[in-house]
Amino acid sequence: MDGVENSRRVGFTGRDMAQVAVFAALIAALGLPGAITVGFSGVPITLQTLGVLLAGAVLGARKGTAAVVVFIALTIIGLPLLSGGRTGLTALAGPSAGYLIGWIPAALVIGVLTERILPRYPVALGLLINAFGGLVVIYLLGTAGLLLRTDLGVREAITANGAFIPGDLAKVVVATVVAKGVHRAYPGVAGA
């Protein structure tokens, strides 16, 4: 490899940065409808997780994770981009801290696994990948956050995730269908 090609892998092109910005904005826009707090955990149900799934499934590991990191960084510096007009500092101080932090490895895991099934993007594998990253990874870190930020026991913290499963499964399906269409129309959008 020559130096120019190798440097491209390390940095982001203008197109990469635009895609990262668009997906960070998408995650923010998905917070506009607000949030619904259900159950006893104090963690809201939002559409923003759909944006996280889409970032990994469409952009791949590097750009998808960068989009989520940019979004979270903007909320931590005080922009009220989380659903309900919350900032990252507010969320990190509350019961949803683990879920918010879980968005980063979720986008990474979804992106890495998605890149392995491209260019075909079989829907069944896409569903499994998005479910693993969107449910298992986020719920694992979310449960840890609940244990650290609330008085819930392990059983209650795990049970609290039950309220999110139906909506998150719908998000997995939407993200998979959208990713399939994007990868069919724009092969090569994911990855370096």
Side-chain angles (χ1 to χ4, degrees):
M1 278 191 214
D2 63 6
V4 174
E5 187 177 332
N6 194 25
S7 68
R8 183 173 177 204
R9 289 176 163 254
V10 174
F12 285 94
T13 66
R15 176 183 236 161
D16 293 342
M17 289 188 288
Q19 291 170 345
V20 166
V22 165
F23 274 80
L26 173 66
I27 297 168
L30 288 170
L32 291 176
I36 301 169
T37 302
V38 295
F40 51 86
S41 69
V43 177
I45 294 175
T46 75
L47 290 176
Q48 290 181 301
T49 310
L50 174 59
V52 172
L53 299 177
L54 285 168
V58 171
L59 296 180
R62 194 166 70 81
K63 294 184 291 186
T65 304
V68 174
V69 168
V70 165
F71 173 79
I72 291 174
L74 291 172
T75 67
I76 289 174
I77 64 170
L79 295 178
L81 300 175
L82 290 169
S83 63
R86 296 173 304 136
T87 67
L89 293 177
T90 303
L92 290 174
S96 58
Y99 295 95
L100 182 62
I101 291 168
W103 287 1
I104 297 169
L108 178 64
V109 166
I110 291 169
V112 165
L113 295 175
T114 295
E115 289 172 12
R116 291 178 186 226
I117 64 170
L118 290 175
R120 288 189 49 233
Y121 197 83
V123 171
L125 285 176
L127 286 167
L128 289 173
I129 289 167
N130 290 328
F132 179 73
L135 277 70
V136 175
V137 172
I138 293 175
Y139 288 9
L140 182 66
L141 291 165
T143 300
L146 286 174
L147 292 171
L148 293 171
R149 297 281 184 209
T150 67
D151 294 331
L152 297 176
V154 173
R155 181 184 303 248
E156 293 85 8
I158 292 170
T159 304
N161 290 312
F164 302 104
I165 292 173
D168 286 344
L169 287 174
K171 293 173 200 172
V172 163
V173 171
V174 170
T176 303
V177 170
V178 170
K180 173 70 174 178
V182 170
H183 292 303
R184 183 181 307 139
Y186 303 101
V189 72

